[in-house]
Amino acid sequence: MKNYTPPKRLLKIGESATLKAAEKARELRARGVDVISLDVGEPDFPTPKPIIDTAYKALNEGMTKYSQSQGLLELREAISDNLRKNFGLEYLPNEIVVTPGAKMGVFYALTALLDEGDEVIVPTPAWPSYFDITKFVGANPVEVKSGENFELLTDNIEKAITEKTKAILLNYPNNPTGIVYDKKVLENVAEIVKRKGLWVVSDEIYSRLVYDGEFTPFAKIEEMRDRTITVNGFSKTYSMTGWRLGYIYGPKNVIKEILKVQQQTATHPPTFVQKAAVTALNECENYVKDMVKEFRIRRDTFYDGLRRMGFKIHKPQGAFYFFPNAADVYHEAERFSEHLLEKAGVSTTPGSGFGVGYEKHFRISYATSREKIEEAILRMEKFLKT
Ligand SMILES: Cc1ncc(COP(=O)(O)O)c(C=O)c1O
């Protein structure tokens, strides 16, 4: 084989930490080990039947060709209606771009905003892909640790801003902590954003998965609409992870540039998938409500279990994750995730990928059945006793 040196751009980024954890569990399972997966951020529910039916129909009716690169107008209209109905947000179809997944949405947004050497403030713990995507586009992520209960520390965010800072990347309901920031905190961030002339990329992919309190979209905070690019998607709300569909909305001048990036890369997400997503938005509200109800029960069950085990965690208000500190209960905290998998067959994601200072934490995804959650709790309790 010929020698190959990857370009510098690629040397800066790593494999996905979350996918790596899931891969290890898959390997063990293939060897016959009974593993409970609490690693992937993927709802265990099937994609709602009406969405699948629409995709079939669309394929049979010939929706197998190129369509508008910004996304089907019918879908962008449905997204626009949905944003109005659920959050009181006003975005016209031409202020929305449909993307192949929210991850690609983050990539597009950062590509459209950042120059080589720019800095992006990333409050941590954070979804690991933010660091890698920022580096991939030639910019630098600047981590700002959150407080004891994962609250945003706005003073520290302000202190981290330099003349190179271009944007703040927010994500709530948060992966990995499940925290939903309240309006007051977001207003404090907005005040800094305004004063320093920054942009905000707000990843709100879990915005429909909220169990307590109220979700405030960042673009709804006064004067923030023109400075905010919001990333959202279908993976989590409609259990459509494999369909690869998301969307971005923001001010028209940025959306125009984002569209250029899509035109020169993906062109657009699959046409029939977009058609199916119209059904998701227009006809599947009852599925979302049932899923949220079920997630709330699972969250409460796991929360009680974790507290019984001695974790000092707060109850997360949204998404489907816990991010406990293993040091609360285990002497070798940095290896908790690894030991739990080897000795108890429970797969979680180690905290190290979510930011500096979170090596003793681990992420639990409770997007799995109640039976598996109960069994996982029993296994964890037994593991901690021995
Ligand atoms: C915070 C966050 N943003 C984006 C994504 C990616 O979503 P998609 O499947 O739409 O690419 C994930 C998936 O885990 C996520 O947790």
Side-chain angles (χ1 to χ4, degrees):
M1 221 185 315
K2 191 179 172 336
N3 265 352
Y4 164 67
T5 313
K8 287 193 205 76
R9 203 175 56 248
L10 282 190
L11 293 174
K12 283 193 241 164
I13 70 173
E15 286 173 64
S16 157
T18 47
L19 297 182
K20 211 154 114 191
E23 194 51 44
K24 210 159 149 195
R26 207 170 294 129
E27 270 169 36
L28 279 177
R29 210 174 283 119
R31 282 199 259 132
V33 183
D34 170 25
V35 177
I36 299 178
S37 274
L38 305 176
D39 43 42
V40 286
E42 172 169 74
D44 57 316
F45 306 101
T47 301
K49 178 91 170 35
I51 301 174
I52 293 173
D53 289 345
T54 303
Y56 262 115
K57 192 159 174 278
L59 279 167
N60 282 319
E61 287 175 356
M63 292 196 80
T64 54
K65 308 284 184 178
Y66 291 132
S67 59
Q68 289 130 300
S69 59
Q70 192 157 355
L72 289 179
L73 178 61
E74 186 188 3
L75 176 56
R76 284 181 287 125
E77 281 170 350
I79 292 169
S80 171
D81 290 346
N82 223 260
L83 292 175
R84 185 177 311 110
K85 199 170 69 204
N86 288 323
F87 307 121
L89 285 168
E90 293 293 338
Y91 281 92
L92 295 169
N94 67 1
E95 294 170 306
I96 300 167
V97 177
V98 183
T99 64
K103 194 185 263 183
M104 205 60 172
V106 173
F107 171 75
Y108 289 168
L110 295 182
T111 304
L113 280 183
L114 302 174
D115 266 314
E116 195 80 27
D118 280 347
E119 290 174 0
V120 182
I121 306 276
V122 183
T124 60
W127 187 46
S129 292
Y130 298 141
F131 308 127
D132 293 278
I133 298 173
T134 304
K135 289 182 205 159
F136 186 69
V137 304
N140 297 313
V142 175
E143 299 184 25
V144 177
K145 258 190 106 187
S146 298
E148 186 87 344
N149 300 314
F150 307 127
E151 70 279 14
L152 282 181
L153 299 178
T154 42
D155 286 350
N156 291 356
I157 289 179
E158 175 145 18
K159 277 189 216 137
I161 294 170
T162 71
E163 72 279 6
K164 289 188 181 158
T165 309
K166 195 62 145 313
I168 301 181
L169 215 166
L170 295 178
N171 165 227
Y172 61 99
N174 181 269
N175 174 6
T177 68
I179 192 169
V180 181
Y181 305 130
D182 64 35
K183 197 167 172 214
K184 187 81 209 71
V185 171
L186 296 172
E187 281 168 351
N188 292 343
V189 177
E191 193 277 317
I192 298 171
V193 166
K194 208 169 72 177
R195 190 153 38 79
K196 301 281 184 179
L198 304 178
W199 290 94
V200 169
V201 175
S202 191
D203 181 346
E204 300 180 4
I205 190 162
Y206 297 99
S207 54
R208 297 298 314 280
L209 306 183
V210 175
Y211 317 113
D212 304 316
E214 205 177 323
F215 169 81
T216 309
F218 197 76
K220 268 208 105 175
I221 305 285
E222 210 177 314
E223 292 185 63
M224 286 300 111
R225 192 188 185 285
D226 282 349
R227 296 177 174 276
T228 305
I229 300 154
T230 308
V231 176
N232 214 319
F234 293 86
S235 285
K236 319 289 177 177
T237 313
Y238 300 100
S239 204
M240 287 177 75
T241 43
W243 298 68
R244 310 307 308 128
L245 201 67
Y247 48 99
I248 307 185
Y249 34 100
K252 234 182 288 175
N253 50 352
V254 186
I255 287 296
K256 193 164 147 257
E257 296 304 308
I258 283 175
L259 181 56
K260 270 187 357 200
V261 185
Q262 167 132 301
Q263 286 181 348
Q264 301 299 359
T265 52
T267 306
H268 62 72
T271 309
F272 59 93
V273 167
Q274 295 187 58
K275 180 73 182 173
V278 176
T279 299
L281 292 171
N282 291 347
E283 296 172 34
C284 293
E285 192 53 31
N286 52 336
Y287 288 88
V288 179
K289 291 217 167 94
D290 287 350
M291 192 165 76
V292 168
K293 214 192 283 170
E294 177 61 29
F295 275 142
R296 182 184 282 117
I297 294 169
R298 296 175 185 186
R299 176 201 62 165
D300 291 345
T301 306
F302 225 131
Y303 175 74
D304 292 344
L306 289 169
R307 296 292 298 194
R308 257 195 330 268
M309 287 176 228
F311 288 101
K312 296 186 195 112
I313 195 145
H314 272 57
K315 206 182 246 191
Q317 304 108 305
F320 37 63
Y321 306 105
F322 290 96
F323 197 57
N325 188 345
D328 290 344
V329 296
Y330 196 65
H331 57 294
E332 274 187 277
E334 293 185 18
R335 300 189 64 192
F336 181 80
S337 202
E338 184 189 332
H339 290 174
L340 189 66
L341 177 61
E342 281 166 8
K343 308 223 165 84
V346 175
S347 174
T348 57
T349 307
S352 51
F354 296 89
V356 174
Y358 293 101
E359 297 77 10
K360 294 185 175 167
H361 288 249
F362 63 104
R363 189 188 76 172
I364 288 171
S365 158
Y366 53 88
T368 192
S369 69
R370 276 192 234 177
E371 297 73 44
K372 285 196 181 145
I373 285 172
E374 276 156 19
E375 171 66 19
I377 293 170
L378 287 176
R379 288 188 191 189
M380 286 173 79
E381 283 175 328
K382 199 164 148 218
F383 165 72
L384 286 171
K385 273 190 200 131
T386 49

